[in-house]
Amino acid sequence: MKVIYPGTFDPITYGHLDIIKRALKIFDEVTIVLMNNPRKIPFFTLEERFEMTKKATEGFENMRIDIHQGLLVQYIKTHSAKTVIRGLRALEDFEYEFEMAMTNRQMCPDFEAIYLMTDLKYLFVSSSMVKEIAQFKGELSKWVPQVVEEGLRKKFQR
Ligand code: COA
C-alpha cells in the first residue's frame, strides 16, 4: 500500500523522521508531500524545505518527496496514493487532526487517514520549538539532523 505524509515540515525534525521510519516498516511506499498550512507563515520556502527534507532522508528506501500548493484533497484526487499518514503526539494533536480529517472527508469521501504515535523522545518536539532554539543559538542536535541545523543557522544569520 502507498501512503502520503503531508505537512509543512518547516523544518523537518527528528519527530517527523521517526514517523517516516515507522511508516516505512508498515507501508510499501511513503511520499512526503510538502505543503503550506494557511494558518502558518512559512519560515523556509518550499524549495528550501524540499532540499533539507531530501538530504535528511538520504538512504531511505521506498520514499519519495513531492511539493503541492493547494488543498490536500486536490493532491489526493490526482494521485494514486489516497491514504494519508500523520503523527500524533498529544491530545491537542488529535483535536486538530480530527477537524482536518472530517473537513477533508467532506470534500473527498475517499479520504482516509492513519495515525502513528510518535516516539516518547519526540513528544515535545515541534518545528516552532526548534526555530525558537535556533534564534537564540541553542543546542539543536537532539531535535534536528545536521542539514536542518545548518539551514536554521544560515537563515538566522541573515
Ligand atoms: N513529532 C514531533 N513533532 C511533530 C510530529 C512528530 N511526530 N508531527 C508533527 N509535529 C509538529 C511539527 O513539527 C509541527 O510543528 P509546528 O506547529 O510548530 O509547526 C506540527 O507538529 C505539525 O506540522 P506538520 O506535520 O509539519 O504540518 P502541518 O500540521 O502544519 O500540516 C497540512 C498541515 C499542510 C497537512 C494542512 O494544513 C493542509 O492540508 N494544508 C493544505 C490546505 C488544506 O487542504 N486545507 C484543508 C484541511 S482542513
Side-chain angles (χ1 to χ4, degrees):
M1 180 177 170
K2 290 180 183 181
V3 291
I4 67 169
Y5 182 20
T8 44
F9 303 99
D10 188 33
I12 191 158
T13 67
Y14 279 139
H16 292 121
L17 289 169
D18 171 60
I19 296 295
I20 297 165
K21 286 181 195 159
R22 286 173 196 280
L24 286 170
K25 285 193 217 155
I26 307 170
F27 305 106
D28 301 318
E29 190 183 278
V30 177
T31 302
I32 299 177
V33 185
L34 299 164
M35 300 176 66
N36 284 326
N37 182 340
R39 302 178 200 195
K40 296 176 184 170
I41 300 167
F43 181 68
F44 289 105
T45 65
L46 271 172
E47 291 69 27
E48 288 170 332
R49 284 181 262 155
F50 183 89
E51 282 311 312
M52 281 191 289
T53 304
K54 197 168 134 194
K55 288 194 186 132
T57 55
E58 246 163 27
F60 284 32
E61 280 175 22
N62 305 320
M63 201 212 79
R64 298 172 58 243
I65 311 172
D66 210 351
I67 287 182
H68 174 67
Q69 302 205 52
L71 291 173
L72 176 58
V73 290
Q74 289 165 342
Y75 184 90
I76 287 170
K77 282 178 183 168
T78 52
H79 289 79
S80 56
K82 307 262 178 237
T83 302
V84 161
I85 58 151
R86 295 277 294 166
L88 283 185
R89 291 164 300 168
L91 268 182
E92 308 96 80
D93 278 356
F94 174 78
E95 278 189 39
Y96 168 58
E97 295 298 333
F98 190 67
E99 180 194 317
M100 275 207 300
M102 290 303 125
T103 313
N104 285 326
R105 194 173 282 159
Q106 290 286 316
M107 295 185 280
C108 172
D110 287 343
F111 177 88
E112 291 299 347
I114 295 173
Y115 300 91
L116 301 176
M117 301 289 168
T118 193
D119 191 286
L120 202 58
K121 275 191 293 214
Y122 306 122
L123 214 53
F124 302 104
V125 188
S126 73
S127 302
S128 311
M129 187 192 90
V130 299
K131 282 180 275 200
E132 205 171 305
I133 297 174
Q135 187 179 356
F136 298 106
K137 301 188 168 47
E139 175 60 52
L140 284 165
S141 59
K142 260 194 206 159
W143 316 115
V144 292
Q146 203 181 336
V147 60
V148 174
E149 190 170 343
E150 286 163 8
L152 284 162
R153 303 264 183 240
K154 255 192 230 157
K155 199 93 170 170
F156 277 112
Q157 256 168 25
R158 277 186 218 152

